[in-house]
Each structure stands twice: as structure tokens, then as C-alpha cells.
Amino acid sequence: MKQRIIIVCASLFFIMGCKSGAGIDKSDPLESGRGFIDASLKGDYTKAEDFILKDSTNEQYLDGLRDFNKNSTPLEREGYRDANIIIDSTVAQSDSTNIIYFSNTFKKVPQKIKMVKKGKDWLVDFKYSFNENPTITTQ
């Protein structure tokens, strides 16, 4: 299980090298998801933490990303920072839950991230990325 968590954390780390995380509109699920991914790729976990749903499990997964970054080679970290995100699809499961399916130009590994609406903000629920969920399909 721990190895799987590290693999998924690593994959999430790779996914985006788009715009800066400053001034991200958290009221939009795609923009908020991109903000989280961008901050993670750049190794700015203080900023990334602003985009996650606050609970102990999600915070543990974020710590896994920190560890992965710390143990990556400088060449790998540069590759992640320079990668572009490719949005494959988004699925609105309800008015408060969206799934973003994506990959990136560095690792080209299909990934998914769940965004949940809390108040007016959309936040990353990391737990979904680490669980098999065969009932979810892309459109």
C-alpha cells in the first residue's frame, strides 16, 4: 500500500507545468485543481496545501509528495517543473464533486484527481486518487 501511495504521489507531482499558483480562482474546479498541481510540481507545498481538503489523510498524502520531491534527482525535478498538463476530460459527478482526468508531457501517465466543493472553494480530495473507483468513467 505504501509503495502505491508513493507511485500515485509521484504521478501527481509530474502532471503540470502551467501558470503560477498566485491568484488562482478556487471557485472553479479546474483552475483550483491546476493551482494545486502547479504548486506541487514546483515544490511549493505551502501553496499546494491551500488547495487540499483539510483532513489527516489528505495531509499525509501531501507529505508523501514532499518526500518524493526531496528524494527526486535534480533532473527529475526540472522535468516535472517544465512539463505541460494535458486535460483528457472532466466529469461533474454532482454540483459539489468533479473528477479531472489528465496526463502530462513529462511522464505521460493517465491520472485523476477529485475536486470537492467546500463553501465556495473547490479543493483536492487526495483520497480519491489513491483508491480504485471502477464506477467512474470519462465522458
Side-chain angles (χ1 to χ4, degrees), residues 36-48:
F36 167 77
I37 294 164
D38 184 57
S40 297
L41 287 173
K42 288 178 172 45
D44 187 346
Y45 297 104
T46 301
K47 189 178 288 184

PDB file of all heavy atoms in Angstrom, residues 36-48:
ATOM      1  N   PHE A  36      -3.277  23.542  -7.549  1.00  0.00           N
ATOM      2  CA  PHE A  36      -2.671  22.549  -6.669  1.00  0.00           C
ATOM      3  C   PHE A  36      -1.535  21.820  -7.384  1.00  0.00           C
ATOM      4  O   PHE A  36      -0.432  21.677  -6.857  1.00  0.00           O
ATOM      5  CB  PHE A  36      -3.717  21.532  -6.204  1.00  0.00           C
ATOM      6  CG  PHE A  36      -3.099  20.341  -5.558  1.00  0.00           C
ATOM      7  CD1 PHE A  36      -2.623  20.410  -4.263  1.00  0.00           C
ATOM      8  CD2 PHE A  36      -2.955  19.154  -6.253  1.00  0.00           C
ATOM      9  CE1 PHE A  36      -2.017  19.316  -3.671  1.00  0.00           C
ATOM     10  CE2 PHE A  36      -2.357  18.055  -5.678  1.00  0.00           C
ATOM     11  CZ  PHE A  36      -1.883  18.132  -4.369  1.00  0.00           C
ATOM     12  N   ILE A  37      -1.807  21.370  -8.581  1.00  0.00           N
ATOM     13  CA  ILE A  37      -0.818  20.599  -9.332  1.00  0.00           C
ATOM     14  C   ILE A  37       0.405  21.450  -9.642  1.00  0.00           C
ATOM     15  O   ILE A  37       1.543  21.008  -9.480  1.00  0.00           O
ATOM     16  CB  ILE A  37      -1.456  20.037 -10.618  1.00  0.00           C
ATOM     17  CG1 ILE A  37      -2.537  19.025 -10.252  1.00  0.00           C
ATOM     18  CG2 ILE A  37      -0.413  19.414 -11.522  1.00  0.00           C
ATOM     19  CD1 ILE A  37      -3.487  18.692 -11.378  1.00  0.00           C
ATOM     20  N   ASP A  38       0.179  22.675 -10.046  1.00  0.00           N
ATOM     21  CA  ASP A  38       1.290  23.569 -10.361  1.00  0.00           C
ATOM     22  C   ASP A  38       2.186  23.795  -9.140  1.00  0.00           C
ATOM     23  O   ASP A  38       3.410  23.698  -9.236  1.00  0.00           O
ATOM     24  CB  ASP A  38       0.751  24.902 -10.871  1.00  0.00           C
ATOM     25  CG  ASP A  38       1.848  25.842 -11.309  1.00  0.00           C
ATOM     26  OD1 ASP A  38       2.654  25.462 -12.187  1.00  0.00           O
ATOM     27  OD2 ASP A  38       1.917  26.962 -10.761  1.00  0.00           O
ATOM     28  N   ALA A  39       1.571  24.075  -8.014  1.00  0.00           N
ATOM     29  CA  ALA A  39       2.353  24.288  -6.792  1.00  0.00           C
ATOM     30  C   ALA A  39       3.137  23.030  -6.418  1.00  0.00           C
ATOM     31  O   ALA A  39       4.300  23.109  -6.028  1.00  0.00           O
ATOM     32  CB  ALA A  39       1.432  24.708  -5.651  1.00  0.00           C
ATOM     33  N   SER A  40       2.519  21.873  -6.578  1.00  0.00           N
ATOM     34  CA  SER A  40       3.195  20.613  -6.255  1.00  0.00           C
ATOM     35  C   SER A  40       4.385  20.371  -7.169  1.00  0.00           C
ATOM     36  O   SER A  40       5.463  19.976  -6.720  1.00  0.00           O
ATOM     37  CB  SER A  40       2.216  19.440  -6.382  1.00  0.00           C
ATOM     38  OG  SER A  40       1.173  19.571  -5.458  1.00  0.00           O
ATOM     39  N   LEU A  41       4.189  20.602  -8.450  1.00  0.00           N
ATOM     40  CA  LEU A  41       5.286  20.398  -9.396  1.00  0.00           C
ATOM     41  C   LEU A  41       6.464  21.314  -9.129  1.00  0.00           C
ATOM     42  O   LEU A  41       7.609  20.929  -9.321  1.00  0.00           O
ATOM     43  CB  LEU A  41       4.791  20.603 -10.829  1.00  0.00           C
ATOM     44  CG  LEU A  41       3.915  19.502 -11.388  1.00  0.00           C
ATOM     45  CD1 LEU A  41       3.359  19.898 -12.743  1.00  0.00           C
ATOM     46  CD2 LEU A  41       4.698  18.210 -11.493  1.00  0.00           C
ATOM     47  N   LYS A  42       6.173  22.494  -8.691  1.00  0.00           N
ATOM     48  CA  LYS A  42       7.232  23.459  -8.421  1.00  0.00           C
ATOM     49  C   LYS A  42       7.849  23.259  -7.038  1.00  0.00           C
ATOM     50  O   LYS A  42       8.789  23.944  -6.675  1.00  0.00           O
ATOM     51  CB  LYS A  42       6.694  24.873  -8.571  1.00  0.00           C
ATOM     52  CG  LYS A  42       6.431  25.229 -10.028  1.00  0.00           C
ATOM     53  CD  LYS A  42       5.846  26.614 -10.157  1.00  0.00           C
ATOM     54  CE  LYS A  42       5.738  27.079 -11.583  1.00  0.00           C
ATOM     55  NZ  LYS A  42       5.210  26.142 -12.539  1.00  0.00           N
ATOM     56  N   GLY A  43       7.294  22.314  -6.267  1.00  0.00           N
ATOM     57  CA  GLY A  43       7.825  22.045  -4.940  1.00  0.00           C
ATOM     58  C   GLY A  43       7.379  23.052  -3.891  1.00  0.00           C
ATOM     59  O   GLY A  43       7.945  23.125  -2.809  1.00  0.00           O
ATOM     60  N   ASP A  44       6.334  23.817  -4.185  1.00  0.00           N
ATOM     61  CA  ASP A  44       5.814  24.806  -3.236  1.00  0.00           C
ATOM     62  C   ASP A  44       4.647  24.173  -2.473  1.00  0.00           C
ATOM     63  O   ASP A  44       3.486  24.398  -2.780  1.00  0.00           O
ATOM     64  CB  ASP A  44       5.368  26.070  -3.977  1.00  0.00           C
ATOM     65  CG  ASP A  44       4.976  27.190  -3.031  1.00  0.00           C
ATOM     66  OD1 ASP A  44       4.797  26.929  -1.818  1.00  0.00           O
ATOM     67  OD2 ASP A  44       4.837  28.337  -3.510  1.00  0.00           O
ATOM     68  N   TYR A  45       4.978  23.407  -1.450  1.00  0.00           N
ATOM     69  CA  TYR A  45       3.951  22.652  -0.736  1.00  0.00           C
ATOM     70  C   TYR A  45       3.165  23.506   0.246  1.00  0.00           C
ATOM     71  O   TYR A  45       2.068  23.126   0.638  1.00  0.00           O
ATOM     72  CB  TYR A  45       4.566  21.425  -0.065  1.00  0.00           C
ATOM     73  CG  TYR A  45       5.114  20.519  -1.132  1.00  0.00           C
ATOM     74  CD1 TYR A  45       6.478  20.442  -1.379  1.00  0.00           C
ATOM     75  CD2 TYR A  45       4.251  19.816  -1.961  1.00  0.00           C
ATOM     76  CE1 TYR A  45       6.967  19.646  -2.399  1.00  0.00           C
ATOM     77  CE2 TYR A  45       4.731  19.031  -2.981  1.00  0.00           C
ATOM     78  CZ  TYR A  45       6.090  18.948  -3.195  1.00  0.00           C
ATOM     79  OH  TYR A  45       6.574  18.179  -4.213  1.00  0.00           O
ATOM     80  N   THR A  46       3.680  24.657   0.597  1.00  0.00           N
ATOM     81  CA  THR A  46       2.891  25.600   1.393  1.00  0.00           C
ATOM     82  C   THR A  46       1.707  26.074   0.565  1.00  0.00           C
ATOM     83  O   THR A  46       0.564  26.109   1.038  1.00  0.00           O
ATOM     84  CB  THR A  46       3.764  26.790   1.850  1.00  0.00           C
ATOM     85  OG1 THR A  46       4.845  26.283   2.625  1.00  0.00           O
ATOM     86  CG2 THR A  46       2.962  27.775   2.656  1.00  0.00           C
ATOM     87  N   LYS A  47       1.971  26.414  -0.683  1.00  0.00           N
ATOM     88  CA  LYS A  47       0.898  26.837  -1.584  1.00  0.00           C
ATOM     89  C   LYS A  47      -0.018  25.662  -1.937  1.00  0.00           C
ATOM     90  O   LYS A  47      -1.240  25.800  -1.960  1.00  0.00           O
ATOM     91  CB  LYS A  47       1.484  27.440  -2.858  1.00  0.00           C
ATOM     92  CG  LYS A  47       0.451  28.098  -3.755  1.00  0.00           C
ATOM     93  CD  LYS A  47       1.083  28.718  -4.976  1.00  0.00           C
ATOM     94  CE  LYS A  47       1.848  29.959  -4.570  1.00  0.00           C
ATOM     95  NZ  LYS A  47       2.429  30.675  -5.706  1.00  0.00           N
ATOM     96  N   ALA A  48       0.554  24.498  -2.181  1.00  0.00           N
ATOM     97  CA  ALA A  48      -0.250  23.316  -2.525  1.00  0.00           C
ATOM     98  C   ALA A  48      -1.222  22.984  -1.408  1.00  0.00           C
ATOM     99  O   ALA A  48      -2.362  22.579  -1.660  1.00  0.00           O
ATOM    100  CB  ALA A  48       0.663  22.125  -2.816  1.00  0.00           C
TER     101      ALA A  48
END
